[in-house]
Amino acid sequence: MNNYIVVGSKPWNHRIYNEIIKNYQGKWHFIQLPEMLNIDEISTINPRYVFFLHWSWKVPDELINKYECVCFHMTDVPYGRGGSPLQNLIIQGYQNTKLTALRMTQELDAGAIYYQENLCLAGNAEEIYIRATYLSAQMIKYIIQNEPCPVEQKGEVTLFKRRKPAESEIPEMQSLQSLYDFIRMLDAKGYPHAYIQHQGFQYSFRRSALYDGHIVADVVITPLQKIQ
């Protein structure tokens, strides 16, 4: 019986692991904290695969070199390698993308491809991340059952730049659709939400809906001195 590890830092990662992934054939382990992701801990498990659902910390090179580490990236690589893929796709007007399972290497998002599935980009960011995690669970099942040989990426490389917190401030927009997309692409737990600052307060927007020529959204108002 093979051992497998799933690594994820978001609450929905652990929930979907408990709901679905840990019931697959094999012995499963979940890692949520960076200090647990070290070669000594992993060696005691000796996993066939290490699956990364969502992870913001550097993965040690010795782990990548010794074990088959699989991450899930929200673009049709080599297009869109790099940071903040969801936000970069939405801001460019994409409505659909590919969720790619690829082998992790020292070069970010440059590894060979195991498997891809279509992913819809409708809804707010957290909804999309949850949808992607459910899809990742299906892809994990396919990978452990079929053990596909990953295929090297082909085509022109396009790099995405990771967004900075200050870039969540709402810029001048040309349309309601653009403003709606900007708010929804930042609407996830743990991410800086879209905001404006005015007369000593910051207005942060969530749960936006676009219909009948206007946007309805929740707003949280915070004095700037509490933020600074």
Side-chain angles (χ1 to χ4, degrees), residues 40-85:
D40 293 332
E41 291 278 350
I42 304 303
S43 295
T44 62
I45 299 172
N46 191 29
R48 173 65 182 88
Y49 295 105
V50 183
F51 296 103
F52 287 79
L53 296 178
H54 200 125
W55 199 245
S56 302
W57 298 272
K58 178 174 171 54
V59 178
D61 290 345
E62 56 184 342
L63 179 59
I64 291 174
N65 293 335
K66 186 172 181 180
Y67 297 104
E68 212 160 334
C69 297
V70 183
C71 66
F72 295 86
H73 192 69
M74 211 177 285
T75 72
D76 189 6
V77 291
Y79 176 82
R81 291 183 190 173
S84 308

Side-chain angles (χ1 to χ4, degrees), residues 74-76 89 95-99 117-121:
M74 211 177 285
T75 72
D76 189 6
L89 287 168
Q95 298 179 358
N96 297 279
T97 186
K98 294 284 188 182
L99 185 63
E117 284 282 3
N118 294 322
L119 176 65
C120 174
L121 298 178

Side-chain angles (χ1 to χ4, degrees), residues 4-19:
Y4 304 101
I5 295 174
V6 174
V7 183
S9 62
K10 299 301 180 184
W12 54 84
N13 298 154
H14 203 183
R15 185 176 74 245
I16 293 169
Y17 168 83
N18 284 325
E19 286 179 9

Side-chain angles (χ1 to χ4, degrees), residues 54-225:
H54 200 125
W55 199 245
S56 302
W57 298 272
K58 178 174 171 54
V59 178
D61 290 345
E62 56 184 342
L63 179 59
I64 291 174
N65 293 335
K66 186 172 181 180
Y67 297 104
E68 212 160 334
C69 297
V70 183
C71 66
F72 295 86
H73 192 69
M74 211 177 285
T75 72
D76 189 6
V77 291
Y79 176 82
R81 291 183 190 173
S84 308
L86 172 59
Q87 290 75 22
N88 280 292
L89 287 168
I90 288 178
I91 212 164
Q92 293 181 43
Y94 284 89
Q95 298 179 358
N96 297 279
T97 186
K98 294 284 188 182
L99 185 63
T100 302
L102 53 88
R103 181 155 191 177
M104 296 179 72
T105 64
Q106 280 79 15
E107 186 178 357
L108 186 63
D109 303 325
I113 298 170
Y114 291 94
Y115 189 47
Q116 290 182 309
E117 284 282 3
N118 294 322
L119 176 65
C120 174
L121 298 178
N124 66 39
E126 187 160 319
E127 291 170 342
I128 299 167
Y129 287 130
I130 292 171
R131 184 183 307 136
T133 304
Y134 276 112
L135 186 56
S136 298
Q138 297 174 25
M139 296 168 74
I140 286 172
K141 185 176 183 180
Y142 174 86
I143 291 170
I144 65 171
Q145 289 180 340
N146 297 279
E147 297 194 348
C149 181
V151 177
E152 295 299 324
Q153 298 180 26
K154 296 179 181 178
E156 183 179 352
V157 175
T158 301
L159 298 177
F160 281 169
K161 188 176 179 182
R162 184 175 298 279
R163 292 181 63 86
K164 299 176 182 177
E167 293 177 292
S168 290
E169 185 169 11
I170 299 173
E172 184 176 344
M173 292 289 180
Q174 300 301 314
S175 67
L176 274 177
Q177 182 67 53
S178 297
L179 177 56
Y180 167 68
D181 286 340
F182 192 89
I183 294 171
R184 73 182 181 90
M185 77 180 192
L186 298 169
D187 190 359
K189 189 177 294 184
Y191 289 82
H193 299 133
Y195 70 87
I196 59 173
Q197 294 181 346
H198 181 66
Q199 294 186 349
F201 295 93
Q202 178 166 298
Y203 300 75
S204 299
F205 299 91
R206 294 198 62 197
R207 299 184 189 87
S208 60
L210 173 62
Y211 59 91
D212 291 338
H214 62 272
I215 294 172
V216 175
D218 291 350
V219 59
V220 176
I221 304 172
T222 308
L224 287 179
Q225 60 262 33

